[in-house]
Amino acid sequence: MVADRTGLAVVGGGPGGYAAAFRAADLGLEVTLIDPEPDPGGVCLYRGCIPSKALLHVAKVISAAHRAGDWGVRFADPEIDLDRLGQWKDEVVERLTGGLGKLADSRGLEHLRGTARFADAAHLDVTTPDGDHRRLAFDHAIVATGSEPVRLPGQPDSDRVWDSRRALELPFLPSRLVVVGGGYIGLEMGSVYAALGSEVTVVEMTDSLLPGVDADLVRPLTKSLEARFERIFTGATVDEIEPGDDRVRVAISGEGGRRDLHCDAVLVAVGRRPFVRGLGLDRTAVRFTETGFIAVDGQRRTAEPAIFAVGDAAGEPMLAHKASHEGRVAAEAAAGRRSLWDPRAIPAVVYTDPEVAWCGLTEAEAEASGREIRITRFPWAASGRAVTTGAPHGVTKLVTDPASGRVLGVGITGEEAGELIAEAVLAVEMGAVAEDLARSIHPHPTRSETLMEAAEMVGGQATHTLRKRSG
Ligand code: NAD
């Protein structure tokens, strides 16, 4: 087969791949982006971040309408038109992926629809959706193939046993939905279905929701979800899932013994793993970590010098914004620049109600490493803005260095925490001290003031709380 040639082949068109391809094209490289979908976007845009956020927005509207009853404004119970809701979500996806397609075209990069497999360390074989084959020679390649859902051992194939992709398709509205896994996907999609009217039961293996996240940040969320969900089982595992014609039996066991849950559908959301199968990487010198990720250096270069890897395939955390940043670093390195992936703070956001967001050093990480830290927490009950929106159940927490006052990490639970965390990322990245945050004038009344006030507490007292001094 005669090979076409490209400067940079990017395998995978998600946030890691398209950010890399766009950056490389902007730097003057000849770029071919290979992905099976009609436009760039990957899992994030087609069946992840974007459709889930569209549905979570609807959940938020329903819940706000419900809460308005407390303020003297009563709405009738919502009528859910699942078809129209699905259409709207698809329109959001089409609009954004279409926009990316136009951006790719106007940058002059080639978008090759198909799946790619390495023939060796300098060639890819691409199979197009029509079944045609094309061999592509490259100077550099970036692997950005993302991740795939982990399945439970013995998980049956059934229309009633869903992964996140199926849940986002809104196949039907189950009266009862069991969600296996109390992590990002389980809690976000559980919240969507609960708002639409399903009775949701969560089964989480560890002893708390969002394991690994600081307990004080998770607590307000757990309380809120206890009111929205039918039941939350922690410390419980699923022994068997048995789908019937119109019901599913889920056998679980835990501290309370064994029990059967009966439902109309089960969502399995027990994590994701790097998607590296069938890529032909065994025909290159690319190496893997013990946990199955592609091993990379600070520039995201693999053990094969011409091949880079970014995003979910190249390590935790599996987050779109981390992938995009890595993608840009790899593209710059491929273009000969001395770029390095060296973040101090990668924000994480769980888009539940309330949202949970954090960045930089967490309290749990500091404890585990024995690092001395200072913690200050500003309760949202003391935030004028949080009270005006009827959402005072939150906390803004600063992790600072006791000697220098430097901001090492921030955690926020509350409405729009995902927006607020960006200021914290800047503070950590810029090496700000708490006083920098405390003395920066924040607009009033906003939730952003909670960051300023948590920083004021590092130096003594915040204006809107008073901590009694001991002794
Ligand atoms: P996750 O790692 O967030 O959560 C999985 C949960 O399942 C954990 O709490 C784990 O303890 C539990 N679990 C594992 N095995 C179990 C079992 N047998 N029975 C019961 N519980 C079990 O994974 P996820 O929710 O599937 O999401 C996958 C990844 O996708 C996340 O790690 C995240 O990086 C990404 N994601 C991010 C966002 C966001 O940024 N808002 C949203 C969705 C997904």
Side-chain angles (χ1 to χ4, degrees):
M1 200 185 303
V2 183
D4 295 325
R5 207 176 171 85
T6 189
L8 176 70
V10 180
V11 183
Y18 77 72
F22 288 10
R23 180 72 183 129
D26 293 345
L27 290 172
L29 294 188
E30 181 197 6
V31 181
T32 304
L33 177 63
I34 308 155
D35 188 273
E37 297 288 352
D39 283 306
V43 168
C44 174
L45 274 94
Y46 280 99
R47 34 184 188 277
C49 332
I50 293 298
S52 64
K53 263 70 261 172
L55 296 178
L56 278 158
H57 177 68
V58 172
K60 194 170 172 180
V61 169
I62 294 172
S63 135
H66 185 70
R67 269 195 312 190
D70 290 346
W71 315 323
V73 181
R74 274 174 285 281
F75 295 93
D77 282 343
E79 274 174 41
I80 309 291
D81 176 347
L82 209 58
D83 289 340
R84 175 62 200 131
L85 179 57
Q87 263 171 17
W88 175 69
K89 172 207 59 160
D90 292 344
E91 284 162 17
V92 170
V93 171
E94 274 162 34
R95 181 179 173 145
L96 292 173
T97 52
L100 286 174
K102 289 201 186 82
L103 284 172
D105 289 346
S106 34
R107 281 181 158 92
L109 57 86
E110 184 193 14
H111 178 196
L112 180 54
R113 273 191 82 178
T115 48
R117 191 181 163 88
F118 285 90
D120 55 42
H123 297 88
L124 281 161
D125 287 332
V126 181
T127 307
T128 68
D130 303 331
D132 292 337
H133 298 282
R134 188 171 149 190
R135 179 156 284 196
L136 188 65
F138 59 81
D139 298 329
H140 290 102
I142 297 178
V143 180
T145 46
S147 58
E148 59 182 343
V150 169
R151 290 172 67 95
L152 290 169
Q155 181 179 319
D157 289 318
S158 158
D159 278 354
R160 294 181 180 275
V161 181
W162 300 348
D163 59 12
S164 55
R165 176 182 187 158
R166 188 73 182 134
L168 285 167
E169 286 168 357
L170 301 174
F172 61 93
L173 200 53
S175 303
R176 286 168 192 262
L177 173 71
V178 169
V179 175
V180 186
Y184 286 82
I185 294 176
L187 299 188
E188 290 186 359
M189 289 313 296
S191 299
V192 167
Y193 277 92
L196 296 179
S198 300
E199 279 181 8
V200 174
T201 297
V202 173
V203 182
E204 163 57 41
M205 184 174 70
T206 68
D207 58 9
S208 90
L209 299 177
L210 297 177
V213 182
D214 283 350
D216 53 350
L217 298 179
V218 180
R219 214 168 289 128
L221 174 63
T222 306
K223 213 169 163 203
S224 154
L225 292 181
E226 277 167 355
R228 289 157 202 257
F229 291 174
E230 186 65 13
R231 202 62 207 266
I232 298 172
F233 293 97
T234 52
T237 50
V238 170
D239 300 323
E240 193 188 358
I241 298 179
E242 187 188 41
D245 285 344
D246 54 0
R247 303 283 279 169
V248 189
R249 184 179 66 86
V250 183
I252 68 166
S253 54
E255 283 152 22
R258 269 192 60 110
R259 71 166 77 205
D260 282 347
L261 305 174
H262 297 276
C263 57
D264 310 281
V266 185
L267 165 61
V268 179
V270 294
R272 297 180 66 88
R273 62 168 170 234
F275 184 73
V276 289
R277 282 181 295 126
L279 273 178
L281 289 169
D282 50 328
R283 299 173 189 165
T284 70
V286 169
R287 299 258 179 282
F288 294 88
T289 67
E290 275 176 11
T291 44
F293 293 100
I294 298 174
V296 289
D297 68 8
Q299 290 199 310
R300 288 3 213 169
R301 198 184 293 269
T302 68
E304 182 69 66
I307 302 179
F308 296 81
V310 302
D312 289 8
E316 301 269 11
M318 295 197 198
L319 299 172
H321 42 272
K322 171 253 188 190
S324 300
H325 271 256
E326 286 182 301
R328 286 188 280 268
V329 168
E332 287 167 8
R337 296 208 171 185
R338 296 182 58 199
S339 298
L340 190 67
W341 164 256
D342 187 23
R344 281 181 184 158
I346 303 173
V349 183
V350 189
Y351 293 87
T352 38
D353 180 8
E355 293 183 353
V356 183
W358 65 97
C359 73
L361 186 71
T362 67
E363 186 177 357
E365 285 165 353
E367 253 169 36
S369 68
R371 179 169 186 166
E372 213 177 304
I373 50 164
R374 171 140 195 227
I375 301 275
T376 54
R377 292 183 187 86
F378 184 81
W380 279 35
S383 153
R385 183 66 180 148
V387 174
T388 61
T389 61
H393 309 293
V395 62
T396 295
K397 163 183 177 178
L398 243 55
V399 179
T400 49
D401 179 67
S404 64
R406 197 162 137 180
V407 182
L408 303 172
V410 175
I412 308 176
T413 298
E415 256 184 3
E416 311 287 343
E419 302 288 339
L420 299 179
I421 202 69
E423 180 184 350
V425 173
L426 187 67
V428 177
E429 283 290 350
M430 300 299 289
V433 292
E435 200 175 353
D436 292 323
L437 276 178
R439 289 186 182 263
S440 299
I441 300 175
H442 286 63
H444 179 74
T446 62
R447 302 173 189 96
S448 71
E449 290 169 295
T450 65
L451 273 163
M452 177 182 72
E453 299 224 31
E456 281 179 345
M457 291 165 90
V458 176
Q461 298 286 3
T463 306
H464 294 100
T465 56
L466 186 63
R467 285 182 304 170
K468 297 232 167 63
R469 286 175 194 284
S470 53

